[in-house]
Amino acid sequence: MILGDSIRRRSGRRARPRDESGTGLGPRARLALVTVAIAIAGFFAAYLFATFVLYPPSEALGEAIEVPDLVGMSVEEAREVLRNAGLAVDDEVPIPDADRTRGGIVAQSPLGGQALRPGGGVRLAVSAGPPRLRVPNLLGFEEATAVAVLERAGFQVERSREIADEPAGRVARIQPAPGSEQEIPATIVLIISTGPPDQVTEDTSGVGAEPGAEAQGDAGGPTGAAEDAGGPDAPETGSGRR
């Protein structure tokens, strides 16, 4: 060994340090192995934590029971079917549904055909009937705007017109009254103003005059005829008789 070290020193090469651990690996190699070992251990620790703490295995179903399909039944019918199958209703959630009778089952969880352990519960989504909305207060709105708002909400709109204090073309009244709850689709009647009474009177001058009055005025009438007949060239009457 002394001879070998002497030769290496003479040739300019430095002697490699001995591996005191006896593994034949250098410090960098040992550090890499330790890093890999720590990574593997961390991976398995995370896997065990997720498996047994975050997502524990579900209990064995034993003799599993197939969940019946309950959609379309009433709640009473569903309770009876589940009771006979060895299951129960876990919860009832009301949901607006215009296509299903009030009280009918719209959806369920678990779905029909899936399995539950004996005594397990099924959640039911129950129809609350058509959705209900309050009639918005659109008094004073322009006709086109009011119609657009109501139709966008799902209402059907009818229109009528009458003399009112609102400017012409604006909503004067609403039937049913604003604020009342209506099932969709409900029909809302908008009464549109044709203008205040004084404006309507000016626009329709002559309405309300006695029949024939205008004709008599045009013709002059008896008084007018007499006045027209009397003039500078008219024959004298009264004192001119013999």
Side-chain angles (χ1 to χ4, degrees), residues 175-239:
Q175 297 175 344
S180 61
E181 280 195 353
Q182 304 295 324
E183 288 188 351
I184 301 298
T187 299
I188 306 299
V189 180
L190 296 179
I191 292 84
I192 309 300
S193 172
T194 57
D198 54 344
Q199 293 183 4
V200 175
T201 302
E202 292 176 1
D203 293 341
T204 56
S205 57
V207 177
E210 295 183 2
E214 186 177 352
Q216 291 180 0
D218 294 342
T223 304
E227 293 175 355
D228 292 342
D233 299 332
E236 295 182 359
T237 58
S239 60

Side-chain angles (χ1 to χ4, degrees), residues 6-84:
S6 177
I7 295 173
R8 281 193 291 271
R9 281 197 297 269
R10 291 178 181 178
S11 61
R13 297 180 182 177
R14 299 181 59 185
R16 294 183 181 178
R18 287 189 177 184
D19 181 12
E20 297 180 356
S21 63
T23 59
L25 298 176
R28 293 186 178 179
R30 289 198 301 272
L31 179 60
L33 286 177
V34 171
T35 304
V36 172
I38 293 175
I40 294 174
F43 171 79
F44 278 107
Y47 172 78
L48 294 175
F49 178 79
T51 303
F52 293 99
V53 179
L54 296 180
Y55 306 102
S58 58
E59 300 178 4
L61 293 177
E63 296 181 359
I65 298 176
E66 182 177 340
V67 178
D69 187 1
L70 306 172
V71 175
M73 298 184 183
S74 65
V75 176
E76 292 75 16
E77 292 172 340
R79 288 184 180 276
E80 183 67 23
V81 170
L82 291 174
R83 188 181 302 112
N84 294 335

